[in-house]
Amino acid sequence: MKTVRIMFLILFSMILFAGCRYTPSSYSFAFGEEDIVAISIVHMKGYVDVEHDETEYDIVYTVKNIEQFLNEFSKIEFRRIWFGDPYRVRSDELAIRVSYKNGLAEYISFTGQEWWESEGKEGWRFGKHYCDETEFKQFLEKYIASQQ
């Protein structure tokens, strides 16, 4: 009987852990690529303001060719955080600010994403996707360097 239990636990563990692998994919925007009106690379001066759209940042680069940017950005592999809380876009780092037709904005960094789905704190959302820090920063630096 003890052997049967052990075999059952081993089989159960194999089935359980088979679903715990990550599948890298390209980034999925909050409102869809067709609704994007502007993209900027920004240097965050603080955390994203949850109460109002008064997030402090400096625009480092404004993307001129959105389609080309999105095409290159889609090559970065993002992974999903399955367990635990999502990370925020951190203060004092480079991030991507995406502006949408509906007037809302999304902030993307290698650690996570934040955006509004509606006005006020209730509409605030955190993404659960992350990517390689070096790859993300090199991607942004390439665009920043192109303007100099």
Side-chain angles (χ1 to χ4, degrees):
M1 188 67 175
K2 187 175 181 180
T3 307
V4 173
R5 280 190 205 152
I6 291 172
M7 293 299 287
F8 176 76
L9 287 174
I10 290 172
L11 180 62
F12 179 75
S13 297
M14 290 174 54
I15 293 170
L16 178 67
F17 292 121
C20 293
R21 61 182 183 266
Y22 79 89
T23 305
S25 62
S26 60
Y27 184 74
S28 179
F29 291 90
F31 298 102
E33 292 182 23
E34 65 280 354
D35 293 326
I36 295 172
V37 294
I39 298 176
S40 300
I41 297 172
V42 298
H43 179 259
M44 303 299 292
K45 295 172 96 177
Y47 287 99
V48 178
D49 184 345
V50 177
E51 295 292 332
H52 315 90
D53 190 9
E54 296 176 3
T55 302
E56 291 188 43
Y57 58 86
D58 290 323
I59 296 177
V60 178
Y61 179 81
T62 301
V63 175
K64 294 162 188 66
N65 187 334
I66 293 174
E67 188 175 323
Q68 178 185 349
F69 183 91
L70 293 175
N71 184 41
E72 292 178 19
F73 185 65
S74 71
K75 295 174 185 168
I76 297 175
E77 289 185 349
F78 279 82
R79 294 159 192 82
R80 180 162 173 71
I81 299 169
W82 289 104
F83 301 104
D85 294 329
Y87 295 107
R88 298 189 71 171
V89 175
R90 298 186 298 198
S91 177
D92 198 35
E93 75 176 5
L94 290 175
I96 298 170
R97 184 181 194 278
V98 180
S99 301
Y100 293 98
K101 290 178 186 176
N102 61 10
L104 301 178
E106 174 179 14
Y107 296 86
I108 306 165
S109 77
F110 64 91
T111 57
Q113 313 76 42
E114 299 181 53
W115 68 91
W116 280 273
E117 285 188 349
S118 62
E119 294 300 319
K121 190 174 183 175
E122 302 78 37
W124 194 247
R125 300 290 180 255
F126 294 96
K128 287 193 156 200
H129 293 86
Y130 68 96
C131 66
D132 179 68
E133 178 180 2
T134 303
E135 184 179 12
F136 186 82
K137 287 182 175 179
Q138 286 176 346
F139 173 76
L140 298 183
E141 292 294 338
K142 181 182 84 168
Y143 275 91
I144 295 168
S146 72
Q147 77 178 5
Q148 298 170 349

